[in-house]
Amino acid sequence: MGQQKQSFIRGTMILSTAAFINRILGFISGMFVARVLGAEGIGLLMMAHPLVPLVITITELGLPVAISKMVAEADASGDRLKVRRILHISLAVTGFLSLTLTAVSLLGSEWIASLLLSDHRAYYAMLAITPIAPIVAVSAVLKGYFRGMQRMMTIAASDVLEHTVQIACVLAIVHLLMPYGVIYAAAGAMTASVVSEAIGLLFLAVSYKLNGEPKVPGETWAKHLKTGKSLLAELLRIGLPTTGHGVIQSVYGAIQPVLITSSLALAGIGTAVATKQFGLLAGYVFPLLFMPSFITQSLSTALIPAIGEAAVNKNGLLMHERMNQALGLGLLIGAPATVILFQWATPLTKLVYNAPEAGLLLKILAPLFFLHYFDAPLHAILLGLGRANAVLTNFIVATAFKAVSIFVFGSQFGIIGVAYGFGIGMIMQTLLNFFSVSSSIGFYWRVEPYIKVGLCMVLMALCGRWTFDYFNAHGMTLLWSTAGSIACSAVFYFIALVLTNTLKWKGMRYTISVPW
């Protein structure tokens, strides 16, 4: 039992480290593409992309989650034939579905474009990204296998390789096609994603070939499929319930560009300008907003089994301790991230994307996104408690509320209204998850830690404003003024946490005191 927990923690750390590296690599790639393509080109990319997640979600059928669970069980019992059968059946199902849906998507591309693309210039980018669906689907199956076998290093190496290749391909292809126009450059960026995913799949396939399950004498694909009907039923029984969230998210992602541009059209904004404004929001502002949430997302990965184990053992004290740690970390990370994104909104969008006009949208969304840092842990707690249906229901309600808010506010106030609609939807989702957790296991909540952290946020903002003005007055460049003032304010925030006794030295480590 102890060895299993050690393996899980080590695997989580490996995946978290790889995810952090990939986040940085993806951010660098996105920054380059955004600067080269501009807001209009990014808008075309964002419009062309949403169909693919829907196809991937449908073809995966939640099988990667089911595969990792069943492979782990079969491996523990030493049933090597069952492990191979699980993998073969899953590859056959996802391969057939993904290739079929991809072919349909390509054949009906013009009709799909007329429905989903408010700007027809995104058509070539949509065509370029469509072939990625079967590659991602098959990769997900292989990753499910490696996850079940506790071989997290293989998955991590594949992900890092994929993102590294993507940066190289994006740099080359976008630079090569930009002279022909933003339409072809956007399509080239999508092609780079397909190439990098294919390299990642090739790495996984070679890793399985070299270190995978040895072939059992007499086995064939036909025999696996013929004798594996009950196994397929078990896979689907586990996997299908997990697809609901993904399908809703993908469907909404597919219609979101049309929803936004339609609301902007009602506000009297033309198609080209609406596409550019959508690019500012989706391509520039969102990556900055979601960047700091990496830590809470990683924590949530480990939180699900921790809460599940405590729930099975009916250990309410341990559940609340884990919840305290997770939400306390969300508060610790979310507070300075919100101050930085709000206080330095325009300098950041200027430095990263050379788009200072996106600063206003970032300044609007940063405070509204504060609750997002609590949403991932709350989501994980509900899954650990076995309340997946509550997670799905909350997501549907929040998504519908967000869609209505975006359309109403966007049609009245333009892209600023759209930004407020997004923020309101995020707040709604977090509150719904909060109430679901509260109704399940209760909350023991004190206001004092929030008041202390709020005070530290104010002091951090004041320190940041003073140091930024001081550095500017002494002739420092925007880069050094921004980096220096952020660093000074972050140190001041940390000191303020210690002085207010919010961050305590305990057991050779710092812990945040947030009694719920």
Side-chain angles (χ1 to χ4, degrees):
M1 186 70 175
Q3 182 62 38
Q4 185 179 4
K5 287 187 177 181
Q6 179 66 38
S7 176
F8 169 76
I9 293 171
R10 182 172 179 271
T12 301
M13 290 298 296
I14 290 171
L15 288 179
S16 298
T17 303
F20 177 73
I21 295 172
N22 293 335
R23 183 71 64 93
I24 297 297
L25 292 175
F27 192 79
I28 293 171
S29 176
M31 181 174 65
F32 169 79
V33 172
R35 293 178 74 95
V36 174
L37 294 183
E40 190 174 2
I42 291 296
L44 295 178
L45 283 181
M46 296 298 107
M47 286 180 182
H49 191 268
L51 177 66
V52 173
L54 177 60
V55 173
I56 293 172
T57 301
I58 294 174
T59 56
E60 285 184 357
L61 296 174
L63 290 180
V65 176
I67 292 166
S68 61
K69 177 180 183 298
M70 292 179 62
V71 164
E73 293 173 350
D75 180 56
S77 63
D79 193 342
R80 319 314 306 171
L81 179 61
K82 186 176 181 180
V83 171
R84 285 183 61 84
R85 185 162 292 160
I86 290 169
L87 186 60
H88 280 69
I89 292 171
S90 301
L91 286 172
V93 172
T94 55
F96 174 77
L97 283 176
S98 61
L99 289 174
T100 302
L101 288 177
T102 300
V104 170
S105 299
L106 290 173
L107 292 173
S109 58
E110 292 189 6
W111 178 75
I112 294 171
S114 67
L115 289 178
L116 297 181
L117 302 182
S118 55
D119 191 331
H120 196 71
R121 293 178 300 166
Y123 174 69
Y124 292 110
M126 187 190 78
L127 279 183
I129 194 64
T130 301
I132 205 173
I135 300 173
V136 173
V138 174
S139 293
V141 169
L142 289 174
K143 287 178 181 178
Y145 161 78
F146 286 120
R147 198 173 292 116
M149 297 296 292
Q150 296 293 317
R151 288 170 53 187
M152 305 302 183
M153 186 64 77
T154 302
I155 301 173
S158 169
D159 289 342
V160 173
L161 174 64
E162 175 191 318
H163 280 78
T164 304
V165 171
Q166 184 178 21
I167 288 182
C169 289
V170 164
L171 288 172
I173 297 176
V174 172
H175 180 74
L176 185 66
L177 295 179
M178 195 61 196
Y180 297 97
V182 69
I183 298 175
Y184 296 104
M190 290 300 200
T191 303
S193 297
V194 176
V195 172
S196 62
E197 284 285 352
I199 295 297
L201 173 58
L202 180 62
F203 178 84
L204 290 172
V206 170
S207 298
Y208 178 77
K209 189 71 175 176
L210 294 176
N211 302 298
E213 300 300 308
K215 187 175 181 179
V216 178
E219 70 165 301
T220 62
W221 278 86
K223 186 177 292 186
H224 282 310
L225 296 176
K226 186 177 180 180
T227 59
K229 292 180 181 178
S230 61
L231 204 59
L232 176 60
E234 188 178 356
L235 282 166
L236 294 177
R237 180 181 59 81
I238 299 171
L240 282 177
T242 67
T243 63
H245 187 282
V247 169
I248 298 296
Q249 190 171 30
S250 300
V251 169
Y252 174 74
I255 66 173
Q256 179 176 273
V258 178
L259 178 71
I260 293 174
T261 52
S262 298
S263 68
L264 294 178
L266 289 176
I269 299 171
T271 301
V273 176
T275 300
K276 181 177 180 179
Q277 291 185 346
F278 176 65
L280 287 175
L281 185 64
Y284 295 176
V285 175
F286 284 168
L288 288 172
L289 284 169
F290 284 106
M291 186 74 178
S293 63
F294 163 78
I295 297 178
T296 53
Q297 291 287 348
S298 299
L299 175 69
S300 299
T301 303
L303 187 59
I304 295 175
I307 292 291
E309 182 181 359
V312 168
N313 295 328
K314 302 186 186 305
N315 191 338
L317 184 62
L318 181 59
M319 276 193 286
H320 283 89
E321 182 183 344
R322 294 287 181 260
M323 185 167 62
N324 176 28
Q325 293 170 341
L327 296 178
L329 184 59
L331 178 63
L332 252 182
I333 300 301
T338 300
V339 172
I340 290 171
L341 293 174
F342 178 83
Q343 188 84 20
W344 288 271
T346 301
L348 284 173
T349 53
K350 168 67 176 175
L351 288 170
V352 176
Y353 301 114
N354 195 28
E357 62 272 23
L360 175 60
L361 298 176
L362 181 58
K363 191 177 282 285
I364 290 170
L365 276 169
L368 299 175
F369 246 62
F370 178 62
L371 288 183
H372 171 72
Y373 301 100
F374 302 98
D375 184 59
L378 290 170
H379 181 105
I381 291 168
L382 286 173
L383 291 178
L385 293 171
R387 297 200 59 192
N389 288 337
V391 172
L392 179 58
T393 301
N394 293 344
F395 180 74
I396 292 172
V397 172
T399 301
F401 191 81
K402 178 169 65 175
V404 172
S405 300
I406 287 173
F407 189 79
V408 171
F409 291 126
S411 60
Q412 295 296 318
F413 307 108
I415 193 64
I416 291 177
V418 170
Y420 276 111
F422 268 107
I424 291 170
M426 177 59 66
I427 292 172
M428 173 64 72
Q429 181 170 322
T430 305
L431 290 177
L432 288 173
N433 284 337
F434 170 81
F435 290 130
S436 294
V437 172
S438 182
S439 65
S440 297
I441 58 176
F443 261 87
Y444 304 100
W445 191 18
R446 283 177 55 193
V447 179
E448 180 186 353
Y450 286 94
I451 295 176
K452 289 182 178 180
V453 173
L455 175 62
C456 295
M457 291 174 69
V458 172
L459 293 175
M460 178 183 177
L462 292 174
C463 175
R465 171 51 57 192
W466 184 84
T467 52
F468 183 77
D469 291 341
Y470 178 83
F471 291 148
N472 272 336
H474 284 73
M476 294 185 71
T477 63
L478 180 63
L479 173 61
W480 289 109
S481 295
T482 302
S485 56
I486 289 176
C488 289
S489 65
V491 171
F492 194 79
Y493 170 75
F494 179 80
I495 294 172
L497 288 176
V498 175
L499 292 178
T500 57
N501 209 30
T502 306
L503 199 63
K504 298 180 179 180
W505 182 257
K506 180 182 178 182
M508 297 302 291
R509 69 185 188 278
Y510 274 110
T511 59
I512 185 168
S513 175
V514 188
W516 301 90

